[in-house]
Amino acid sequence: MFIKKEDYSLKVKAICIIGMILYKVILDYSFVKWIAPVFSYYMRLQYIANNNKVIISYVLLLIVLVITEFNEKRFSDVFMAVELIVMYIPMLSLYAYSDRSTAFMLVITISYCIQEAIIRLSRTVCADKEIVVSGSASICLEISILALIGGAMLYSLINYGTGSLAAMDLMNVYSIREGVGYSFPFSYIIPWVFKVVCVFVIVLGMYRKQIILFLVGFIPQFYLYLIYANKSTLFSLGLVILVYFLYSRWDIIKTLVYGLAGMTLASGVFYSVTGNIYPISLMVRRTLFVPATIKFSYYDFFKENGLLYFADNSIGKLFGVTSKYTMEAPKLIASYLGVPDSHCNSGYWGDAYANYGMAGVVIFSVILVLIVLLVERISKGVPTKVVYPILIILFYYLNDSALLTWLLGGGAGLVIVFIWLLKNATGDEVNLCFKSIKE
């Protein structure tokens, strides 16, 4: 499962391609054997055999694998691999074994190929260029982090006290969420803190081997989970630590694909042997197949009923666009899927289609890959052990977030600024806790 680092080569690419195909085979088997039989009642996760789509799914997978590079030394390649593993391949499995839209799957594949083409072109046009910040920004960075964490903690303490360990039982999270909330500007600040700021500080603490700095990120993250019971808050705690140590020793792309394939199969076998559905429900159904079915459902609903044209977000409000629907998209799709008490946020592909159709999927994909390339340029010179764990967690959130929401409310824009501020005047050092280090 854990594969040692080595220079990028055809051998590395072949290992990654084999891993991606194996991962899809295991996902396919998991869906047919365990997910559909147990969860067919939930969000339309039914098994509907379609041999033609099974063949098409593997043809599409081979196409994207051939054009994809898997060089872990380039963040853009790591991002594309994560997009394949977390978003694209689960959608291919659902497309093949739940008879979903060929047109939508094809436009997503085309968009992915365009992203790869832009990355290749950027390496020709802008090879080895980096964006340099003039002047040290350590004080600004640390004041910003402390102000955000302190503000979120103070607001939460005043309004909700010390929290409750009842949140450690994941079956209680939905009832806890009903009793909490936050008003502007904390509707932005608190998600920023638990999605990116605390993760940022945790990684810096591990990198500097400073337990105090680590705890400055860890304790607020855990406390905010006890208050707001957002499962991603707890999940990101474990994931960022895991990714940090995996990247420190092993090739992150190969380890992610083979590791996730192994965990998917192991959770299914565990269910077959023990009857305990929880691991496969959380790691496979919720993490991979639920986001995939939500994306397809956005396409199905808005293709049939008409697009939003950004009526639900600030772009539409700016241009006076009004929605024809009485509810926002996440609640609409929740009702459409038969879970009206839920809030079905889509990843950026589903949201892009809901707002601007097939053209939106392509346009949003281009915008995203340009952001990825910007981050790659800005972070050049910052140690990859610092940057990659933070960014992998950040881009993972795209599986459940609209692009604009991810940039603003999801904290992506804030992380880009933080990475920018990490760099000092020469651009080849970073300043962490008032101490400069070289990569």
Side-chain angles (χ1 to χ4, degrees), residues 195-214:
K195 286 185 176 181
V196 298
V197 178
C198 288
V199 168
F200 197 88
V201 176
I202 287 169
V203 172
L204 296 188
M206 290 189 290
Y207 186 84
R208 292 296 309 171
K209 296 181 174 59
Q210 293 180 348
I211 187 65
I212 299 299
L213 186 60
F214 175 85

Side-chain angles (χ1 to χ4, degrees), residues 100-365:
R100 300 305 178 97
S101 168
T102 298
F104 190 48
M105 200 69 244
L106 285 175
V107 79
I108 287 173
T109 303
I110 292 168
S111 298
Y112 180 91
C113 294
I114 291 172
Q115 288 179 323
E116 272 292 340
I118 292 172
I119 289 172
R120 301 286 186 89
L121 181 63
S122 74
R123 289 171 187 163
T124 302
V125 176
C126 308
D128 298 325
K129 292 183 180 178
E130 68 175 281
I131 299 173
V132 179
V133 184
S134 59
S136 175
S138 176
I139 298 296
C140 179
L141 174 63
E142 292 177 12
I143 289 175
S144 300
I145 288 174
L146 292 175
L148 288 168
I149 292 178
M153 293 281 284
L154 184 62
Y155 176 88
S156 301
L157 277 168
I158 291 172
N159 287 279
Y160 302 112
T162 58
S164 170
L165 289 176
M168 297 308 296
D169 182 351
L170 297 182
M171 301 303 293
N172 294 329
V173 296
Y174 296 107
S175 60
I176 293 173
R177 286 181 202 171
E178 291 176 357
V180 297
Y182 21 72
S183 56
F184 183 84
F186 291 96
S187 55
Y188 283 92
I189 292 173
I190 290 174
W192 287 347
V193 169
F194 70 69
K195 286 185 176 181
V196 298
V197 178
C198 288
V199 168
F200 197 88
V201 176
I202 287 169
V203 172
L204 296 188
M206 290 189 290
Y207 186 84
R208 292 296 309 171
K209 296 181 174 59
Q210 293 180 348
I211 187 65
I212 299 299
L213 186 60
F214 175 85
L215 292 176
V216 167
F218 186 91
I219 291 173
Q221 182 85 339
F222 186 71
Y223 168 70
L224 291 175
Y225 171 73
L226 296 181
I227 294 290
Y228 300 105
N230 190 306
K231 285 184 286 189
S232 64
T233 310
L234 189 63
F235 176 72
S236 62
L237 266 178
L239 185 59
V240 71
I241 295 171
L242 176 64
V243 170
Y244 180 85
F245 285 108
L246 287 180
Y247 183 76
S248 299
R249 298 185 60 186
W250 294 290
D251 186 310
I252 192 66
I253 297 175
K254 289 180 285 187
T255 299
L256 280 175
V257 67
Y258 282 98
L260 195 52
M263 286 190 293
T264 299
L265 186 60
S267 64
V269 172
F270 181 77
Y271 165 64
S272 295
V273 172
T274 67
N276 187 332
I277 196 67
Y278 185 75
I280 197 170
S281 176
L282 179 63
M283 290 191 295
V284 183
R285 179 197 64 88
R286 176 61 188 89
T287 303
L288 301 173
F289 284 117
V290 166
T293 194
I294 290 174
K295 292 180 188 73
F296 278 115
S297 297
Y298 267 65
Y299 169 79
D300 293 336
F301 180 87
F302 290 105
K303 179 178 182 292
E304 184 68 27
N305 297 284
L307 303 178
L308 288 171
Y309 298 108
F310 304 100
D312 282 355
N313 59 42
S314 54
I315 294 176
K317 293 178 174 62
L318 179 65
F319 290 98
V321 180
T322 57
S323 176
K324 60 188 285 189
Y325 304 105
T326 57
M327 294 182 287
E328 292 188 345
K331 295 300 292 182
L332 272 175
I333 301 304
S335 297
Y336 176 68
L337 289 172
V339 285
D341 293 332
S342 298
H343 200 78
C344 292
N345 290 308
S346 173
Y348 81 94
W349 284 327
D351 174 74
Y353 181 84
N355 281 295
Y356 210 61
M358 296 298 198
V361 177
V362 176
I363 293 169
F364 278 41
S365 297

